């Protein structure tokens, strides 16, 4: 279930545009990674690029989590 949090932006000290840019940058990277995994699922002979494998995505998410304001 989706919760409505009207204070999310103020708690994170972000404008709507900053938050959108942050969230969309994560979304785009995850979409590309998902597409590579989908292709790899059907064609295992095609390897997932190093920058989109599970380890790289985990590192990327950790980095993005550290970048966010407290």
């Amino acid at each position: 279930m989706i919760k409505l949090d009207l204070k999310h932006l103020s708690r994170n000290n972000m404008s709507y545009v900053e938050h959108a840019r942050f969230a969309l940058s994560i979304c785009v990277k995850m979409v590309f990674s998902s597409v590579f995994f989908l292709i790899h699922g059907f064609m295992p002979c095609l390897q997932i690029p190093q920058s989109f494998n599970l380890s790289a995505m985990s590192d990327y998410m950790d980095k993005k989590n550290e970048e966010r304001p407290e």
Side-chain angles (χ1 to χ4, degrees):
M1 179 183 221
I2 296 175
K3 286 175 38 177
L4 186 60
D5 183 1
L6 299 176
K7 299 195 187 259
H8 179 68
L9 293 176
S10 61
R11 264 198 327 276
N12 288 290
N13 196 28
M14 296 177 91
S15 71
Y16 182 85
V17 172
E18 290 171 324
H19 187 272
R21 187 179 307 135
F22 178 81
L24 290 173
S25 69
I26 293 170
C27 177
V28 168
K29 180 98 172 177
M30 291 178 77
V31 165
F32 277 105
S33 181
S34 296
V35 168
F36 285 122
F37 273 93
L38 181 66
I39 292 167
H40 177 73
F42 288 104
M43 301 177 71
C45 59
L46 297 176
Q47 296 301 302
I48 296 169
Q50 184 76 21
S51 60
F52 292 101
N53 68 20
L54 286 178
S55 179
M57 288 304 295
S58 177
D59 292 344
Y60 175 78
M61 296 302 286
D62 286 340
K63 179 181 161 237
K64 290 304 252 184
N65 192 46
E66 290 170 6
E67 286 177 9
R68 70 179 177 80
E70 288 302 320

